[in-house]
Structure formats: structure tokens, C-alpha cells
Amino acid sequence: MNDGLTRKKLGRVALNGAGIIVFLFAVFPVYWMVATAFKPNDQILSTKFIPFPSPPSLDHISRVFTKGVAGHLIWQYLLNSAIVAVSAVVIGAVFALLAATAVARFRFRFRTSFLILLLIVQMVPAEALLISLFTMVKRLGMFDQLIGLVVVNVGLTLPFSVWMLRTFVAAVPREVEEAAWIDGAGRFTTFWRVLFPLVAPGLVATSIFSFITTWNEFVYALTLISDQGTYTMPVALQFFVGQRSTDWGGIMAASTLMTIPVLIFFLLVQRRMVSGLVAGAVKG
């Protein structure tokens, strides 16, 4: 009996220890980024390990705020990223929810093939689609415009969103919708007042994935935008890298500012995200 309890305790200690190690590996780069943003240049370039800025300096953050990047204020790039990310999340959520509902609730020809195709599209590297998407955006007259980035990011995140939301829709019992139909509700009313509130947590979890993916996207933003005033934040960060030197303090300060909107967005929706992940894991 004691041996069994001892093994359980050791197992818990091992799991907790492994969790702490994984947590430290995940958090340390973020911590180092924030710490470097407040370090003077001599401490950033020092060969010694300096875990904390001593004393903290606001020079890099102040310079990013006042001088901006490539002749534009940092707020311009943050605004561009926010417009693209929020638009892609909203548009993608609408299409993903409708497609997921159709796939989960209706049986139609080539349904299985459609689901397999979604997985295949996810396996294709984004860079492999760069030339074809660039040509498409160019012909549609959306080159050098944020709307072009929105359309491309919706297309990149939509397959995964549909596949993920399909699980949440399928987890809602059909009897709930049938009960609404018996009470006289139409299909739209049932979808909006019955199905949507139950699937909303899953929609939030999917939106977080789409937001982070779009917010951090670099390759397409660099390729489809040539006007520096229309650049997003990931592209703007490249201006801190010169031909002979790199402004590490500026990069870390701008990266820290870039992380704040994502952190705020996550804190606002974290409760719904956790409930959505749990709801999607149980089908009943």
C-alpha cells in the first residue's frame, strides 16, 4: 500500500517537474525579450550573463515611440496589423462556422473528400502557395492594400478553422435543434439562438488561433505590400536589422509592444477558450 502511494507521489512530482521545465523553456524567450528591451546597450552587447537590467533603461522604448520605424510611427504598423488580424478573424469566423455546420449536420456527396482536402491543404507549406497567391492578388487589384492581406490570411486559416469548428458543432446533440423546430423556430432562428451560443466557446478558441497566426504572419505581408506605410509590425521589425549592425534594443522594444495586443486579446477571451477546448473534447 505504501509502495503504491510512494509511486503515485513520485509520479506526480515527475509530472510537475516536467511541467515546470516545459513552462520555463516556453517563458524564458519572452522574459529575455522584455528584459533586453529595458537594458542599456552595453549590457545587451556584454558577453556576461545579465538576467536583469541594472539599472533599467527606457531609452529603446522611448526611441521606438518617438522616432518610429522607417519614417513612420510605431502606432501606424500596430494599426495595420490590428486591421488585418481583426478583419481576418471576423470574416474567417463567419465562413468557418457556416462551413463547419454544413459539414457536421448535412450528408452530401464528396463530404469525406472535402474533409480530407482540408487536411491536405494544411500540410502544404505556405511558401509553396506564395507565387500563385501573389498572382491572384495582383490580378484582383489588391496588391499593396491591406484587403489583399486579409483575403490571403482568411484563406490560410480557414481550413484549420473549419476542421476544428466541425468538432464543436458535432458535439451539440441534434435533439436540441429538433426541440427548437418542434417549438416553431425556423432554421435561421435555431442556428442563431440555439446552435450559435453552444458553439461560441469553440468559435473563440478558433479565433485565437486565427488572430495569432495572422498577427505574426511575415512572408505574405512582405511580398504583397511594398508601401512602407502599409507594412504590418512583423515586416516593420526588419528595419532594425542593418547591413553592418543590428539594433537589438529596438527590436526587443518593438517586439514587446507587439506582444501586448495579443496578451490583452488572450486575457479577454481566456475563459471562453478553456471552456471551448473542453467542450470540443467531449462529444455528447
Side-chain angles (χ1 to χ4, degrees):
M1 188 68 176
N2 292 332
D3 292 340
L5 293 175
T6 303
R7 290 179 180 178
K8 288 183 179 180
K9 291 182 180 180
L10 291 177
R12 291 178 181 176
V13 171
L15 288 176
N16 292 334
I20 292 174
I21 293 175
V22 172
F23 173 78
L24 292 177
F25 270 102
V27 171
F28 181 78
V30 179
Y31 160 75
W32 195 254
M33 174 189 69
V34 177
T36 305
F38 292 95
K39 289 181 180 179
N41 284 326
D42 57 342
Q43 295 184 12
I44 294 176
L45 301 176
S46 176
T47 56
K48 298 180 180 179
F49 177 73
I50 305 177
F52 305 101
S54 179
S57 174
L58 297 175
D59 292 342
H60 303 302
I61 294 180
S62 176
R63 177 160 46 84
V64 169
F65 271 119
T66 56
K67 295 184 178 180
V69 183
H72 298 275
L73 294 177
I74 196 70
W75 301 112
Q76 181 64 45
Y77 302 114
L78 287 172
L79 178 61
N80 294 338
S81 293
I83 292 174
V84 174
V86 173
S87 301
V89 167
V90 173
I91 297 173
V94 173
F95 283 101
L97 180 58
L98 295 176
T101 303
V103 172
R105 283 292 186 258
F106 301 103
R107 296 294 181 266
F108 52 88
R109 193 176 183 183
F110 302 120
R111 174 178 174 273
T112 304
S113 301
F114 174 74
L115 293 174
I116 296 176
L117 183 62
L118 290 179
L119 291 179
I120 295 176
V121 171
Q122 286 297 113
M123 297 177 186
V124 177
E127 291 75 11
L129 306 174
L130 185 61
I131 297 177
S132 58
L133 288 177
F134 172 82
T135 304
M136 180 190 72
V137 170
K138 190 81 171 178
R139 291 181 177 178
L140 292 175
M142 294 187 294
F143 178 75
D144 220 7
Q145 298 181 23
L146 293 180
I147 184 63
L149 274 183
V150 172
V151 172
V152 169
N153 281 285
V154 169
L156 293 176
T157 58
L158 196 56
F160 178 82
S161 299
V162 173
W163 184 269
M164 187 173 180
L165 271 177
R166 168 185 166 271
T167 305
F168 292 100
V169 175
V172 178
R174 291 178 178 270
E175 289 77 8
V176 176
E177 298 176 66
E178 293 173 354
W181 295 340
I182 294 174
D183 291 338
R187 288 189 177 274
F188 178 78
T189 303
T190 302
F191 175 81
W192 180 250
R193 295 189 176 183
V194 177
L195 183 63
F196 179 77
L198 296 175
V199 182
L203 192 62
V204 170
T206 306
S207 298
I208 291 177
F209 161 78
S210 300
F211 183 86
I212 295 177
T213 301
T214 305
W215 183 266
N216 294 326
E217 202 284 316
F218 172 78
V219 176
Y220 286 99
L222 178 64
T223 305
L224 302 179
I225 300 294
S226 61
D227 181 16
Q228 294 183 357
T230 318
Y231 280 157
T232 57
M233 271 299 296
V235 181
L237 292 178
Q238 70 173 336
F239 289 102
F240 290 102
V241 181
Q243 185 175 2
R244 298 183 179 180
S245 62
T246 300
D247 185 4
W248 292 111
I251 289 179
M252 297 304 176
S255 299
T256 301
L257 295 174
M258 180 181 171
T259 307
I260 294 176
V262 180
L263 182 61
I264 294 175
F265 181 77
F266 175 79
L267 292 176
L268 291 175
V269 300
Q270 63 172 337
R271 291 185 179 179
R272 283 192 172 272
M273 184 194 70
V274 173
S275 62
L277 293 177
V278 173
V282 180
K283 182 177 180 181

